[in-house]
Amino acid sequence: MLTQVAEGVLIHRSELLQNNAVVVRGQAGVLLIDPGLTGGELTCLANDLSEMGEPVVAGFSTHPDWDHVLWHADLGDVPRYGTARCAADMRDVRSHTDWRARAEEGLPPEIAEETPLDLYGLITGLPAGAVRIPWDGPEIRIVEHPAHAPGHAALLIEDRGVLVAGDMLSDVFVPMLDDFNGTNEPVEDYLVGLRRLEDVADGVDVVIPGHGSVCGADQVHARIEQDRVYVCALRDGGVPDDPRVNSPKPGWEWVRDIHAGQLQKLARRRAS
């Protein structure tokens, strides 16, 4: 189930949403980033790592969306890090007595009964402004930004030239804006996030998006620009010339609904 994409960096892609779980080899075991999605997939991932003699020593969630804060007992009881804001968001989610029911409502029906929620969202927040993951392995730089979700962070594995992009730079999903809450500016926040990624892009050989296919150095800036063009088209009320909307991959036609919904939200905000 694991595919190597750079030295000491492997991925496992989930079947339904093409989530990329990222494995980074360290001195005493591996860091596991955004594992998912079903119990069967997580158990298989744990078994594969065990057979490789690679225990999980830490985890990281790039942001607090449901499919990035999953875990399974078979992966072990280890620190699961996230940014301070990501962890705070998940503490708020779990503070509600009906948090499990709310989480279940947001799951895709195809895998709702197969998605483990017992360890959902148990994230240890790193200090605000932290720029490194504390673990015994390659230095991993935290590139926190405001795009897409509270406390979203990309991870730059500098000596491997790998950028783990979270829910950005995908070839199957269009950029998804954070929810409008009356005080934030999700469009401008997204553009800020893209600039943060662009700031580190020149040293990147491999981009691993949260969903979809991995790309090499020759596509890094193109993916950033494609996301920027899409977001600017949304902001200006135009129609983006974007294959993820106009000619999506088979099985991903529903991304057009995400796009249509975002257009409607922005139109309502402009009218208010």
Side-chain angles (χ1 to χ4, degrees):
M1 294 181 69
L2 289 165
T3 302
Q4 182 166 311
V5 296
E7 181 184 353
V9 181
L10 306 94
I11 64 167
H12 164 251
R13 184 169 299 152
S14 67
E15 182 176 352
L16 180 63
L17 295 176
Q18 294 187 22
N19 289 68
N20 290 310
V22 183
V23 173
V24 185
R25 283 191 167 111
Q27 299 300 317
V30 303
L31 172 72
L32 185 53
I33 305 165
D34 290 350
L37 287 175
T38 67
E41 288 173 329
L42 291 167
T43 295
C44 189
L45 176 57
N47 290 340
D48 285 353
L49 291 171
S50 177
E51 290 173 6
M52 294 166 57
E54 297 280 10
V56 178
V57 297
F60 191 92
S61 290
T62 57
H63 61 289
D65 284 352
W66 71 269
D67 52 330
H68 295 262
V69 295
L70 299 171
W71 200 256
H72 195 284
D74 289 347
L75 297 170
D77 182 12
V78 300
R80 296 164 54 195
Y81 299 116
T83 65
R85 191 173 179 194
C86 173
D89 191 84
M90 292 315 305
R91 284 195 302 273
D92 180 66
V93 167
R94 288 185 62 103
S95 71
H96 299 277
T97 57
D98 63 344
W99 72 263
R100 183 184 289 268
R102 294 187 187 190
E104 288 173 346
E105 287 177 3
L107 296 175
E110 301 96 321
I111 60 170
E113 295 183 359
E114 303 173 63
T115 303
L117 293 178
D118 288 348
L119 302 175
Y120 178 83
L122 296 176
I123 306 301
T124 298
L126 295 172
V131 295
R132 303 284 173 182
I133 294 179
W135 81 303
D136 187 14
E139 284 202 356
I140 300 180
R141 178 178 167 189
I142 300 167
V143 184
E144 186 173 355
H145 57 74
H148 178 66
H152 197 176
L155 299 178
L156 180 63
I157 312 169
E158 292 178 297
D159 68 346
R160 311 295 165 84
V162 175
L163 179 66
V164 181
D167 269 358
M168 299 174 75
L169 311 188
S170 172
D171 61 333
V172 289
F173 272 123
V174 293
M176 290 175 284
L177 305 181
D178 194 6
D179 291 334
F180 290 93
N181 60 27
T183 61
N184 64 343
E185 294 291 342
V187 170
E188 294 309 314
D189 286 347
Y190 210 101
L191 294 174
V192 169
L194 290 172
R195 287 196 292 272
R196 299 265 172 88
L197 299 186
E198 197 166 40
D199 287 343
V200 301
D202 286 344
V204 170
D205 298 316
V206 176
V207 171
I208 306 174
H211 305 262
S213 65
V214 173
C215 75
D218 60 328
Q219 298 179 51
V220 175
H221 286 282
R223 287 206 181 185
I224 293 171
E225 185 59 20
Q226 183 180 44
D227 277 5
R228 181 183 289 115
V229 168
Y230 174 85
V231 172
C232 289
L234 274 184
R235 178 194 62 195
D236 299 337
V239 178
D241 181 16
D242 194 309
R244 296 169 294 186
V245 175
N246 301 324
S247 54
K249 294 183 178 181
W252 289 84
E253 293 82 2
W254 52 275
V255 171
R256 291 170 175 156
D257 296 332
I258 294 175
H259 168 64
Q262 295 193 129
L263 276 178
Q264 292 171 0
K265 288 178 183 178
L266 282 164
R268 286 197 296 269
R269 177 166 252 210
R270 283 193 293 269
S272 63

